[in-house]
Amino acid sequence: MKKFYITTPIYYPSGNWHIGHCYTTVICDALARFHKLMGEDVYFLTGTDEHGQKVEKEATKRGVTPRGFIDPLVGRLQDMWRLLDIGYDRFIRTTDEDHIRCVQKVYQKLYDSGDIYKAEYEGYYCTPCEAFWTEAQLKNGKCPDCGRDVSLQKEESYFFRLSKYAPRILKLYEDNPAFLQPKSRVNEMVNNFLKAGLNDFSVSRTTVKWGVPLPFDEKHTAYVWIDALLNYISALGYGTDGDERYKKYWPADLHLVGKEIVRFHAIVWPAILMALGEPLPKQIYGHGWLLIGGEKLSKSKENARPELTDPYELVKRYGADAVRYYLLREIPFGSDGEYTGERFLGRINADLANDLGNLVSRTTAMITQNFDSLPACGEIEPLDREIEEMTDALFPRVKDAMDRLNAPEALEHIFALVGRANKYIDETQPWLLAKDPGKKERLGTVLYHLAEVCRVSAILLKPFLTKAPAFILESFSYPADVGFGEAKFGSLRAGAQVRKLPPLFPRYDIRKELSEVEKLLASAKAEPSKPPKAEISEKAEISIDDFSKIELKVGEVIACEKVQKSEKLLHETVRVGEEVRSVVSGIAKYYTPEEMVGKRVVLVTNLKPVKLCGVLSEGMILCAEDGEGNLSLLSPEKAVESGAKIR
Ligand code: MSP
């Protein structure tokens, strides 16, 4: 079986994550999902880069241990990935024991082979970037990457013989153009670094205690960048008896990284692997940045406002599919892209709400209005043939784009089919066919074609969107877990049950929405968060028998929409085992309908049904409420089947 090993950089536990940070990981996730659906054996690695001066300083400032400082931040990063449905295979932390042992082993090996030696180091250090610069490299005396102050540091240090490997790295770029992409990054590396020749590289610190101690000189800790780069092989068990994963997955098929860290990945990393005698990754791709006002989006530079850039807020407000879609579709792959609220909402409105959402809701509505189930496909007309051919051509087109890592292009192809199908509705005018009993068969054929476009588009959207595709497939009673083998015209069987879908994505009034966001940001700035109020319950005791009267089960939200004329209520369709229930809950302020879909919730299933705002509610979804009245859904901690009892 073909394998595919893909990595993101490991993230600094800064806590200051913005939507730009999500870019690398969302693309990796889409690529990992794509290759899994191709039937490949995929290993997708991400994690955190936890050692170094920055963490040490922050922890000291707060009077806590580095671990005490980092752990909650790592948890918060993992929450962010959970919200965005990032399906990694391992989350590595550079404080993991297996990683630390691997770092020590590598240093020992390179020291023994003479590739690491002791000398004295003098250089300008940029703490936020954890990078050393020579005087010549500084820009107006500041860090050339981030423009912040640097400090002159002088210390005894171990050096790695990077200079020795410069000719081999240049040759690598020449012989293997696929190694570093896009091509512009090769020019940057050659012109900015390699042309002038490489200096040996300082790889240890005596001034930083929060790091991996060198096995041959415990006064020194490993330089964070070497420590960090080694995560790509330590995660696979490199250098241990349990190195089956290393044998299986290494070399990596792709290290996807932002352009500012290409030099570590495309110069230092191959040199270390050469020194170790290990194979090199097949490709390093340096993607562009999300910009605000032409500058790299970055919270510390405070250019992150007035746009909504907080990933947690973005997902909460618009749903994971919308955020993923924006990142994957809007930024031309390899280049920088400007981030604005208008562009974000414009994309959601145009592609997700108008094109995809309309196609699916119109198709399912017309089928359920005119037929009991999916109609059969009758005689074909040239227009239908065109739809069939375009549908069949979609998978090869998407694959070709994804083989070049080009998610925006892959999505462009999918939405070209969606757009063509919407035009086909205008051309075939099914609402007129529905009025003429003699045209019933023709109506069936048109709707069958539309259903097939919905199904095939949903299958091909699975790497990019994690909620809507399953939702679309289920509405045609089609299994959601199929691979790309099914992405061909003609798999749906006449007679399949079809369920009318509510609009998948809301359409935003962009001006109104942006002014709401601005108000929200202004009030968040004005009101620093208050400590939660403590509250002790004074409710009467109950017996276990009383408690056992309440039936609680796990339910899966399969559809959700806002209740009209209510600001507070959402209407969920919840699957509880074999049963499907209509449930109304007062959580619209805390969750969007898109966010709710796919969630596993805890449902009180034996409450007397009631109507709320005219909508039937056959159960109650349980939430936790904090001292401020904010609600948070309760969900089982592990994957549990819907219908599971709660005791
Ligand atoms: N810890 C290092 C990586 C070590 S890998 C051996 C690091 N971490 S980071 O947290 O600063 O960055 C993580 C990822 O977020 C990088 O790929 C970086 O390029 C990306 N981004 C951070 N800001 C970004 C934008 N504004 N736009 C796009 N990606 C950006 O670097």
Side-chain angles (χ1 to χ4, degrees), residues 9-12 18 20-21 23-24 49 225 228-229 231-232 257-261 265 287-290 296-297:
I10 46 173
Y11 282 66
Y12 293 128
H18 50 70
H21 283 111
Y23 186 56
T24 324
D49 185 353
W225 262 102
L229 287 163
N231 92 89
Y232 299 133
V257 304
K259 62 179 180 181
E260 79 282 16
I261 52 175
H265 285 83
H287 67 67
W289 290 334
L290 259 74
K296 184 181 178 209
L297 176 54

CSV table of all heavy atoms in Angstrom, one decimal, residues 9-12 18 20-21 23-24 49 225 228-229 231-232 257-261 265 287-290 296-297, ligand 1:
chain,number,residue,atom,x,y,z
A,9,PRO,N,4.7,22.2,10.8
A,9,PRO,CA,5.7,22.5,11.8
A,9,PRO,C,5.1,22.3,13.1
A,9,PRO,O,3.9,22.3,13.3
A,9,PRO,CB,5.9,24.0,11.5
A,9,PRO,CG,5.3,24.3,10.2
A,9,PRO,CD,4.2,23.3,10.0
A,10,ILE,N,5.9,22.1,14.2
A,10,ILE,CA,5.4,22.1,15.5
A,10,ILE,C,5.2,23.5,16.0
A,10,ILE,O,6.1,24.3,15.8
A,10,ILE,CB,6.2,21.1,16.4
A,10,ILE,CG1,7.7,21.4,16.3
A,10,ILE,CG2,5.9,19.7,16.1
A,10,ILE,CD1,8.5,20.6,17.3
A,11,TYR,N,4.1,23.8,16.7
A,11,TYR,CA,3.8,25.2,17.0
A,11,TYR,C,4.4,25.6,18.3
A,11,TYR,O,4.5,24.8,19.3
A,11,TYR,CB,2.3,25.3,17.1
A,11,TYR,CG,1.6,25.4,15.7
A,11,TYR,CD1,1.7,24.3,14.9
A,11,TYR,CD2,1.0,26.5,15.3
A,11,TYR,CE1,1.1,24.4,13.6
A,11,TYR,CE2,0.4,26.6,14.0
A,11,TYR,CZ,0.5,25.5,13.2
A,11,TYR,OH,0.0,25.6,11.9
A,12,TYR,N,4.8,26.9,18.4
A,12,TYR,CA,5.2,27.4,19.7
A,12,TYR,C,4.0,27.6,20.5
A,12,TYR,O,2.9,28.0,20.0
A,12,TYR,CB,5.8,28.8,19.5
A,12,TYR,CG,7.1,28.9,18.7
A,12,TYR,CD1,7.2,29.7,17.6
A,12,TYR,CD2,8.2,28.1,19.1
A,12,TYR,CE1,8.5,29.7,16.9
A,12,TYR,CE2,9.4,28.1,18.5
A,12,TYR,CZ,9.5,29.0,17.4
A,12,TYR,OH,10.7,29.0,16.7
A,18,HIS,N,-3.7,32.9,15.7
A,18,HIS,CA,-4.7,33.6,14.8
A,18,HIS,C,-5.0,32.8,13.6
A,18,HIS,O,-4.3,31.7,13.4
A,18,HIS,CB,-4.1,35.0,14.4
A,18,HIS,CG,-2.8,34.9,13.9
A,18,HIS,ND1,-2.5,34.4,12.6
A,18,HIS,CD2,-1.5,35.3,14.4
A,18,HIS,CE1,-1.2,34.4,12.4
A,18,HIS,NE2,-0.6,35.0,13.4
A,20,GLY,N,-4.1,32.9,10.7
A,20,GLY,CA,-2.9,32.6,9.8
A,20,GLY,C,-2.2,31.3,10.3
A,20,GLY,O,-1.7,30.5,9.5
A,21,HIS,N,-2.2,31.1,11.6
A,21,HIS,CA,-1.6,29.9,12.1
A,21,HIS,C,-2.3,28.6,11.7
A,21,HIS,O,-1.7,27.6,11.5
A,21,HIS,CB,-1.6,29.9,13.7
A,21,HIS,CG,-0.5,30.8,14.3
A,21,HIS,ND1,-0.8,31.9,14.9
A,21,HIS,CD2,0.8,30.7,14.3
A,21,HIS,CE1,0.3,32.5,15.4
A,21,HIS,NE2,1.3,31.8,15.0
A,23,TYR,N,-3.5,28.1,8.9
A,23,TYR,CA,-3.4,27.8,7.5
A,23,TYR,C,-2.6,26.6,7.2
A,23,TYR,O,-3.1,25.7,6.5
A,23,TYR,CB,-2.7,29.1,6.8
A,23,TYR,CG,-2.6,29.0,5.3
A,23,TYR,CD1,-3.7,28.9,4.6
A,23,TYR,CD2,-1.4,29.2,4.7
A,23,TYR,CE1,-3.7,28.8,3.2
A,23,TYR,CE2,-1.3,29.2,3.3
A,23,TYR,CZ,-2.4,29.0,2.6
A,23,TYR,OH,-2.3,29.0,1.2
A,24,THR,N,-1.3,26.5,7.7
A,24,THR,CA,-0.5,25.3,7.4
A,24,THR,C,-1.3,24.0,7.8
A,24,THR,O,-1.3,23.0,7.1
A,24,THR,CB,0.8,25.3,8.3
A,24,THR,OG1,1.2,26.7,8.5
A,24,THR,CG2,1.9,24.5,7.7
A,49,ASP,N,6.3,22.9,20.0
A,49,ASP,CA,7.8,23.2,20.1
A,49,ASP,C,7.9,23.9,21.4
A,49,ASP,O,7.7,25.1,21.5
A,49,ASP,CB,8.1,24.1,18.9
A,49,ASP,CG,9.5,24.4,18.7
A,49,ASP,OD1,10.3,24.0,19.6
A,49,ASP,OD2,9.9,25.0,17.7
A,225,TRP,N,15.9,24.9,17.6
A,225,TRP,CA,15.6,24.6,16.2
A,225,TRP,C,16.0,23.1,15.9
A,225,TRP,O,15.3,22.5,15.1
A,225,TRP,CB,16.1,25.6,15.2
A,225,TRP,CG,15.0,26.6,14.9
A,225,TRP,CD1,14.8,27.8,15.3
A,225,TRP,CD2,13.9,26.3,14.0
A,225,TRP,NE1,13.7,28.4,14.8
A,225,TRP,CE2,13.1,27.5,14.0
A,225,TRP,CE3,13.5,25.2,13.2
A,225,TRP,CZ2,12.0,27.6,13.2
A,225,TRP,CZ3,12.4,25.3,12.5
A,225,TRP,CH2,11.6,26.5,12.5
A,228,ALA,N,13.6,20.9,17.6
A,228,ALA,CA,12.3,20.9,17.0
A,228,ALA,C,12.3,20.1,15.7
A,228,ALA,O,11.4,19.3,15.5
A,228,ALA,CB,11.9,22.4,16.7
A,229,LEU,N,13.3,20.3,14.9
A,229,LEU,CA,13.4,19.6,13.6
A,229,LEU,C,13.4,18.1,13.8
A,229,LEU,O,12.8,17.4,13.0
A,229,LEU,CB,14.6,20.0,12.8
A,229,LEU,CG,14.6,21.5,12.2
A,229,LEU,CD1,15.9,21.9,11.8
A,229,LEU,CD2,13.6,21.5,11.0
A,231,ASN,N,11.7,16.4,15.6
A,231,ASN,CA,10.4,15.8,15.9
A,231,ASN,C,9.9,15.0,14.7
A,231,ASN,O,9.2,14.0,14.9
A,231,ASN,CB,9.4,16.9,16.2
A,231,ASN,CG,8.6,17.4,15.0
A,231,ASN,OD1,7.6,16.9,14.7
A,231,ASN,ND2,9.2,18.4,14.4
A,232,TYR,N,10.3,15.4,13.5
A,232,TYR,CA,9.8,14.6,12.3
A,232,TYR,C,10.3,13.2,12.3
A,232,TYR,O,9.6,12.4,11.7
A,232,TYR,CB,10.3,15.4,11.1
A,232,TYR,CG,9.8,16.8,10.9
A,232,TYR,CD1,10.7,17.8,10.6
A,232,TYR,CD2,8.5,17.1,11.2
A,232,TYR,CE1,10.3,19.1,10.5
A,232,TYR,CE2,8.1,18.5,11.0
A,232,TYR,CZ,9.0,19.4,10.7
A,232,TYR,OH,8.5,20.7,10.6
A,257,VAL,N,5.5,24.0,5.4
A,257,VAL,CA,5.9,25.0,6.4
A,257,VAL,C,5.6,26.4,5.8
A,257,VAL,O,5.6,26.6,4.6
A,257,VAL,CB,7.3,24.9,6.8
A,257,VAL,CG1,7.7,23.5,7.3
A,257,VAL,CG2,8.3,25.2,5.6
A,258,GLY,N,5.5,27.4,6.7
A,258,GLY,CA,5.4,28.8,6.2
A,258,GLY,C,6.8,29.3,5.7
A,258,GLY,O,7.8,28.7,6.1
A,259,LYS,N,6.7,30.3,4.8
A,259,LYS,CA,8.0,30.6,4.1
A,259,LYS,C,9.1,31.1,5.0
A,259,LYS,O,10.2,31.0,4.7
A,259,LYS,CB,7.6,31.7,3.0
A,259,LYS,CG,7.1,33.0,3.5
A,259,LYS,CD,6.8,33.9,2.3
A,259,LYS,CE,6.3,35.2,2.8
A,259,LYS,NZ,6.0,36.1,1.7
A,260,GLU,N,8.7,31.7,6.2
A,260,GLU,CA,9.7,32.3,7.1
A,260,GLU,C,10.6,31.2,7.7
A,260,GLU,O,11.7,31.5,8.3
A,260,GLU,CB,9.1,33.2,8.1
A,260,GLU,CG,8.5,32.5,9.3
A,260,GLU,CD,7.1,31.9,9.1
A,260,GLU,OE1,6.7,31.7,7.9
A,260,GLU,OE2,6.4,31.5,10.0
A,261,ILE,N,10.2,29.9,7.7
A,261,ILE,CA,11.0,28.9,8.3
A,261,ILE,C,11.5,27.9,7.3
A,261,ILE,O,12.0,26.8,7.7
A,261,ILE,CB,10.2,28.2,9.5
A,261,ILE,CG1,8.8,27.7,9.0
A,261,ILE,CG2,10.0,29.1,10.7
A,261,ILE,CD1,8.1,26.9,10.1
A,265,HIS,N,14.3,24.4,7.4
A,265,HIS,CA,13.8,23.1,6.8
A,265,HIS,C,14.6,22.7,5.5
A,265,HIS,O,14.8,21.5,5.3
A,265,HIS,CB,12.3,23.1,6.5
A,265,HIS,CG,11.5,23.0,7.7
A,265,HIS,ND1,11.2,24.1,8.5
A,265,HIS,CD2,10.9,22.0,8.3
A,265,HIS,CE1,10.5,23.7,9.5
A,265,HIS,NE2,10.3,22.4,9.4
A,287,HIS,N,4.8,27.7,2.1
A,287,HIS,CA,3.6,28.4,1.6
A,287,HIS,C,3.7,29.9,2.0
A,287,HIS,O,4.6,30.3,2.8
A,287,HIS,CB,2.4,27.8,2.2
A,287,HIS,CG,2.2,27.9,3.7
A,287,HIS,ND1,2.0,29.1,4.3
A,287,HIS,CD2,2.2,26.9,4.7
A,287,HIS,CE1,1.9,28.8,5.6
A,287,HIS,NE2,2.1,27.5,5.9
A,288,GLY,N,2.8,30.7,1.5
A,288,GLY,CA,2.8,32.1,1.7
A,288,GLY,C,2.1,32.4,3.0
A,288,GLY,O,1.7,31.5,3.8
A,289,TRP,N,1.9,33.7,3.3
A,289,TRP,CA,1.3,34.2,4.5
A,289,TRP,C,-0.1,34.7,4.3
A,289,TRP,O,-0.4,35.3,3.2
A,289,TRP,CB,2.1,35.3,5.1
A,289,TRP,CG,3.4,34.9,5.7
A,289,TRP,CD1,3.8,33.6,6.2
A,289,TRP,CD2,4.6,35.7,5.8
A,289,TRP,NE1,5.1,33.7,6.6
A,289,TRP,CE2,5.6,34.9,6.4
A,289,TRP,CE3,4.8,37.1,5.6
A,289,TRP,CZ2,6.8,35.5,6.7
A,289,TRP,CZ3,6.1,37.6,5.8
A,289,TRP,CH2,7.1,36.8,6.4
A,290,LEU,N,-0.9,34.7,5.3
A,290,LEU,CA,-2.1,35.5,5.4
A,290,LEU,C,-1.7,36.9,5.9
A,290,LEU,O,-0.9,37.0,6.9
A,290,LEU,CB,-3.1,35.0,6.4
A,290,LEU,CG,-4.2,34.1,5.8
A,290,LEU,CD1,-3.7,32.8,5.3
A,290,LEU,CD2,-5.3,33.9,6.8
A,296,LYS,N,2.3,40.6,7.5
A,296,LYS,CA,2.0,39.3,8.0
A,296,LYS,C,1.1,39.4,9.2
A,296,LYS,O,1.3,40.1,10.1
A,296,LYS,CB,3.3,38.6,8.4
A,296,LYS,CG,3.1,37.2,8.8
A,296,LYS,CD,4.4,36.5,9.3
A,296,LYS,CE,4.1,35.1,9.8
A,296,LYS,NZ,5.1,34.7,10.8
A,297,LEU,N,0.0,38.6,9.1
A,297,LEU,CA,-0.9,38.6,10.2
A,297,LEU,C,-0.2,38.1,11.4
A,297,LEU,O,0.4,37.0,11.4
A,297,LEU,CB,-2.1,37.6,9.8
A,297,LEU,CG,-3.2,37.4,10.8
A,297,LEU,CD1,-3.8,38.7,11.3
A,297,LEU,CD2,-4.3,36.5,10.1
B,1,MSP,N1,8.1,26.3,16.1
B,1,MSP,C1,8.3,26.7,14.8
B,1,MSP,C2,8.4,25.5,13.8
B,1,MSP,C3,9.3,24.4,14.2
B,1,MSP,S1,9.1,23.1,13.0
B,1,MSP,C4,10.4,22.1,13.3
B,1,MSP,C5,7.3,27.7,14.4
B,1,MSP,N2,6.1,27.8,15.0
B,1,MSP,S2,4.9,28.8,14.8
B,1,MSP,O1,4.0,28.5,15.8
B,1,MSP,O2,5.5,30.2,14.8
B,1,MSP,O3,4.3,28.7,13.4
B,1,MSP,C6,3.5,27.6,13.0
B,1,MSP,C7,3.1,27.7,11.6
B,1,MSP,O4,2.2,28.8,11.5
B,1,MSP,C8,4.2,28.0,10.6
B,1,MSP,O5,4.0,27.2,9.4
B,1,MSP,C9,4.0,29.4,10.2
B,1,MSP,O6,4.5,29.7,9.0
B,1,MSP,C10,2.5,29.5,10.3
B,1,MSP,N3,2.0,30.9,10.3
B,1,MSP,C11,2.1,31.8,11.4
B,1,MSP,N4,1.6,33.0,10.9
B,1,MSP,C12,1.2,32.9,9.6
B,1,MSP,C13,0.5,33.7,8.8
B,1,MSP,N5,0.2,35.0,9.0
B,1,MSP,N6,0.1,33.2,7.6
B,1,MSP,C14,0.3,31.8,7.2
B,1,MSP,N7,1.0,31.1,8.1
B,1,MSP,C15,1.5,31.6,9.2
B,1,MSP,O7,7.6,28.5,13.4
